[in-house]
Amino acid sequence: MAHRILLVEDDAATSAYIAKGLIEEGFVVDVADNGRDGLFHATGGDHDAIILDRMLPGMDGMVVLAALRAAGVETPVVLLSALASVDDRVGGLTAGSDDYLTKPFAFAELLARLRLLLRRRPRSTAPETRLVCDDLEMDLLSRKVRRGGAPIDLQPREFKLLEYLLRHQEQVVTRTMLLEGVWDYHFDPGTNVIDVHVSRLRKKLDDGHPRPLLHTVRGAGYRLGLGD
């Protein structure tokens, strides 16, 4: 199976150059041209490595890197930057990147460094089939959900919503993230579809249980996990 790489680079020419080279080498490449989209894609945990530009619009690459590591995302990161001083390189590495490559660079060097990181990180051979949060369990194969051992009957969209929340548990999930990740909308249709589904899901998950799991974070979105 081909390795999946996330490339976060705002310069269109550089991004196209890197993506073309990686695809020719047999990689599957996802591309983001700003920090916010890069962070959104990276938190899914679907990539084997991330190539991250340091200076990005929307959210700086160092901020993206810090957010990923704070969220427990351990995907290897190659940081790209025009900042080439020793302090810059050390800062990038100590912030959580696995490698630091200064611009301009040869694609062959980037490829070599990327392959080295991938060799250091053995790929999991067993697919994930079970998601758990406290006493809530989701079986992805049988598509069954239980809390405290009791079954919970979910509609297909509710199942997809809960799966997304479980994969991002203890993280604040915004409306935009849910629209893109659950409804495949890349715009806000201006309806209360998310609020309705979250309300129904919360009732099914939390009613009758002393510890609520699905929380509303005012002005930000929702979070699945323990605590307020």
Side-chain angles (χ1 to χ4, degrees):
M1 184 182 296
H3 286 285
R4 192 177 194 94
I5 308 299
L6 174 62
L7 171 62
V8 190
E9 167 63 67
D10 65 313
D11 182 79
T14 302
S15 178
Y17 167 71
I18 295 173
K20 181 175 181 293
L22 291 175
I23 291 170
E24 288 175 350
E25 292 293 329
F27 293 93
V28 175
V29 182
D30 295 316
V31 178
D33 62 4
N34 65 81
R36 292 186 186 281
D37 287 348
L39 179 60
F40 169 71
H41 290 296
T43 53
D46 300 324
H47 299 93
D48 298 298
I50 300 168
I51 300 172
L52 176 66
D53 188 33
R54 181 164 180 164
M55 301 181 72
L56 293 165
M59 183 181 289
D60 182 77
M62 294 290 281
V63 177
V64 173
L65 179 59
L68 287 176
R69 297 313 187 219
V73 178
E74 299 179 354
T75 308
V77 173
V78 179
L79 200 61
L80 304 180
S81 178
L83 303 175
S85 74
V86 172
D87 287 344
D88 289 323
R89 296 198 302 271
V90 170
L93 292 168
T94 56
S97 72
D98 298 87
D99 204 346
Y100 190 105
L101 188 58
T102 58
K103 297 178 177 180
F105 56 85
F107 175 76
E109 182 178 6
L110 173 62
L111 182 62
R113 292 179 182 228
L114 183 61
R115 283 180 166 157
L116 180 60
L117 286 181
L118 292 170
R119 283 200 299 272
R120 289 176 183 167
R121 185 181 189 240
R123 303 185 77 188
S124 173
T125 55
E128 191 173 28
T129 61
R130 185 168 167 268
L131 300 174
V132 177
C133 178
D134 193 45
D135 59 348
L136 174 67
E137 302 178 41
M138 171 180 280
D139 189 316
L140 297 172
L141 295 181
S142 66
R143 299 188 68 79
K144 291 182 179 179
V145 176
R146 294 178 178 273
R147 181 160 188 200
I152 299 175
D153 184 29
L154 297 180
Q155 298 298 316
R157 186 70 68 179
E158 293 170 341
F159 187 94
K160 189 173 182 180
L161 173 60
L162 179 57
E163 180 183 352
Y164 189 91
L165 291 167
L166 279 166
R167 292 187 184 278
H168 296 80
Q169 62 182 282
E170 300 299 351
Q171 301 174 34
V172 176
V173 175
T174 67
R175 288 177 58 87
T176 299
M177 292 170 69
L178 290 176
L179 283 168
E180 293 186 349
V182 179
W183 277 268
D184 296 321
Y185 291 163
H186 296 287
F187 62 95
D188 190 336
T191 69
N192 64 344
V193 61
I194 290 177
D195 305 310
V196 170
H197 278 81
V198 169
S199 178
R200 288 175 180 167
L201 182 60
R202 179 185 283 120
K203 185 177 180 64
K204 291 183 178 183
L205 294 184
D206 289 340
D207 278 9
H209 294 275
R211 297 186 305 276
L213 293 180
L214 184 49
H215 309 274
T216 297
V217 182
R218 291 189 180 276
Y222 306 94
R223 180 177 58 80
L224 185 74
L226 294 173
D228 297 328

